[in-house]
Structures are given as structure tokens and as C-alpha cells.
Amino acid sequence: MKPESESAGVPAVELKGITKRFPGVVANRDVNLRVMPGTVHAVVGENGAGKSTLMKTLYGMHKPDEGTITLNGEQVVLHNPSDAIARGVGMVHQHFMLADNLTVLENIVLGAEPKRWGGFGLNRAAARTRIREIGKQYGLEVDPDVLVENLGVGDRQRVEIIKVLYRGARVLVLDEPTAVLVPQEVDALFEALQVLKAQGLSIIFISHKLDEVRSVADDITVIRRGTTVATADPKTVSSRQLAELMVGSELPSPQTSESTVTDRPVLEMKHVELVKDGRHLLRDVTLTIHAGEVLGLAGVEGNGQAELVESIMGMRTVDGGTITLAAENITTWTTRRRREAGIGYIPEDRHRHGLILDAPLWENRVLGHQTRHPNTSGPLVNRAGARADTERIVGEYDVRTPSIDVLASSLSGGNQQKLIVGREMSGNPKLLIAAHPTRGVDVGAQAAIWDLLRNARAEGLAVLLISADLDELIGLSDSLTVILRGELVAQVDPSTVTPEQLGSAMTGAGEAA
């Protein structure tokens, strides 16, 4: 560990004594952070530790109740993100904020459009030139005229970074930037960060992947329960030590020690086809998941994973093939009937498909389970039963909240995820679809979710696991299937495949085994 006063020179960012209170909770308490120019400064901490609140304060989304913000030696007051952008602070959010139906150029200039001579119309030529200049300067090349919907995840992230650089950012806040990237894309991102550093930019890197943090960061600040507890040197600190600083426990492992796979099929998909506008979203998908089995589905985002999940859930009507749950043909069943038959669902996007953010926690407990005990009393919602079971989930799954009556939007991402996991496991499902179950959660919550999946698997649960964390996929899965452009293209052995081999198979660049 090293004292924060050791660094010389004028910091690009200095936060002193930042305190931010919300009703019933102190999100940040006397937080200190110093980021030097031309460095990558990682901020780590468990979910609910206050990282997001701190970054939103730096980005002008919150005004601190106490403390000061200093940028390049000048103390500032930031009233909104526009103030932060004007001061050279840009933020790339974990959930990309891009419009799929617009081009790269249109997304980048939106709200900062260069005008033609006379002030009328978008000067596309000037914008295109500037975007290409930024791409070349920082190693972030991307075609300005391609539609965002046609980009892979790695290129979408490049667009987000170019968007803040286009506005003149010299401080970049990256929130979980590797959460959805395959290893090759992570390597490309880290190469770009080295170029940004060399150009004198400062990067604040928020992540739960401690090995990545240690490999890319120049300094690491640890936040626990709303306050800074240490600044660590990535050259000397271990991932295990960081985990202990964050949550007081050792770094968890996703490894599963023994097989519990039975010969009893729970989910069977045979020759499933899904077509939209003449294009195959799924082609001849055939797979089986047995009781006690975790089937991992590996693929770069946008290759059919979401469509496969939505087909199983009944959110899409398939154009061919059959889907069977516990020997019953459910191909034409409604989503509600499938849920009642025993399908649990941890969605990829918890905000769109998992929660009503403006509703209290106990109402979110009811979602998707409106017709089942303890949420119903005849045709009506059993308010008392739902509230009591929400209290149970909050305690059992360590959902950190002052009350079950607070809005879901007030929880950190990891606590939102733990609420969803608790809800979906409460119905004793036969099949659990777990799409990115530990995305954006800290090592403590991650370990809890892994333990839950392992225990449920041992009791006979069938699990379809989709994850961008290849170590998680390899460690938890009994079998692994690779999906590429809507087709299942490879089956690999989790006990022998490496993340690099799996990443190559996912991109179509090589064999996985």
C-alpha cells in the first residue's frame, strides 16, 4: 500500500471529503480520490460500496453534500453532466447509450452536431473527418457510416469512447468496460487505454474483475461501505488481498468439483428456427439440458443468445422445430404458462426485463409470479404474503436496502441482481435460464450466486447459463456450446478448453478444442 500523498504533480482529478446522503442511507462518506494525468486509476469495491454514486458526482449527476471536486488544480462545482463535459470529464456507462437505428457518426455527434456554413444542417464531412482523426490518434478506428445495430460489442464500446473524446474529454470514466467483451476484445481495449495514457489522458476504471484491474491500472483505490479504505499498488497487491480489502473475504472461484448430471432431460430443443424479415436469427438449434446439469452457451453478444432465450420463454414464436419442458411440448405455450410450469428467468438486462425501477422492492418480488404462492390470495395480490417473502429474500440473499418499500431504482446494480436471483429461485423452478447472472456484481455477490447455482444444480435444477465471463462459463458448466450467427457451431469440454480457445470459437477465428 502507498499513501495518496506520494504522487507528485497536479492531479487531473482530486476528490476530497466527498459525502453524499440519500433518504435512509449515506452513499459516500468522506471519500478521497486522486487521479494523476496519463494514468489508469482503478476504483474497486463491492456493490453498494458507493462507486457509482461517486462517479455520478464527478460527472455532475449528483451534487455532494460535503467535500470538494478539483480538476487540474481548479476547484469546481458541477451542476450537471454538461458542466462536467465542458470541464473535460466524459463517462462511458456499463449499459451502452447508443441508438441502434442511427449510424456511428450520428450517434457520436448527437447533441454536439457541427453545423454547415450559415448554421443550417449537419456538416457530415467535418464530423466524419474528426471521427476518423480521433480513431487514428487513439487506435479506435471504426467506420463512421455503418449502422450501430450492425456492430459487435467491442466496436460499440469504441463508439462510446470516441463519443466522449469527440466532446474533448481528458478524463474518461469507464464503468465495467470489460463486462461484455471476449478476451481478444479486452486486449484491444487495453491497448487503446495505453494509447490514451500516452496522450496524457486520465482513465478511471471501474471493474469487479480484479486480475484485469491489476494488469491495466497504475493505481487502485478501494471503497468499502461508502468510504475509501486503501490505495493499492497493482504491482505488489494480489487479487486475493484486493478481495479481502473490498469485502473481507477471499477471492471466490467458479469451479465446480463434481458432476451431478442425470440422464433425465428437462429442456429439449429440436431443429428450432427463428426467422425475421427473411433472415435466420436461429437456425436448426438442437440442444438438451438434463436435471443437475449446467449447459453453458458461449457467444459474442448479438449472435442469437437473446433470441434463443426469448424462444424458450415464449417471448418469441418460433418458425420451426419443437421445445419440450419435462416431456411436455411447450412450443405454443404462453410465457405465463411456461413460467407456471417451472421456468425461472434471470434476464440479461435487469432494467428492461427484470424490474420495474419506479416500483418498490416488494412489488418487484411479485413480477412474473403473480399467480403463484405467496403472492396471490384468490384473484388478488396477497400484499402481506409478498411483503413477507420479500423480507425473506432480502435477508437470505443479502440485498442491501434500508427497506422493502424503497424503489428498485435506488438499489445498486448488484443488489438489484440479487433481488432478481432470489425471486427466481423462490419458485423452485425445474429450469433456470441465467443470462449474465453475475454481470456488474462484486466478488461477494458473485460468490453467493455461484454457490446458489451449484447447490441448485446438485438438487436437480437444469440451468442454461449465458455469460460474457469466460472463466465463469468454463468453471460452472458441465457442457459448453458455442453459438455463432444463430447456429450452434461447436461443443467443447469445459475441463480442457481455455478462455482464449473459447474466445476464438466465439468469433469464428479458430477451433475451441
Side-chain angles (χ1 to χ4, degrees), residues 376-396:
T376 60
S377 179
L380 304 176
V381 170
N382 182 351
R383 184 186 180 103
R387 289 179 64 85
D389 203 57
T390 306
E391 294 282 11
R392 178 191 63 79
I393 290 171
V394 164
E396 193 172 316

Side-chain angles (χ1 to χ4, degrees), residues 165-177:
L165 294 174
Y166 184 89
R167 287 157 174 75
R170 300 291 299 173
V171 175
L172 274 66
V173 179
L174 305 182
D175 187 6
E176 295 289 344

Side-chain angles (χ1 to χ4, degrees), residues 164-219:
V164 297
L165 294 174
Y166 184 89
R167 287 157 174 75
R170 300 291 299 173
V171 175
L172 274 66
V173 179
L174 305 182
D175 187 6
E176 295 289 344
T178 66
V180 295
L181 303 183
V182 299
Q184 292 83 347
E185 291 171 327
V186 172
D187 291 342
L189 172 64
F190 286 0
E191 288 175 8
L193 295 187
Q194 294 304 314
V195 177
L196 292 166
K197 277 176 52 177
Q199 299 277 349
L201 277 72
S202 304
I203 297 99
I204 300 177
F205 187 92
I206 302 171
S207 178
H208 293 106
K209 299 182 178 181
L210 301 184
D211 288 339
E212 289 182 357
V213 163
R214 290 172 52 239
S215 71
V216 75
D218 298 292
D219 298 282

Side-chain angles (χ1 to χ4, degrees), residues 124-136:
R124 290 181 177 271
R128 189 175 290 108
T129 298
R130 180 65 182 136
I131 290 167
R132 292 192 187 280
E133 287 175 350
I134 292 171
K136 185 175 181 180

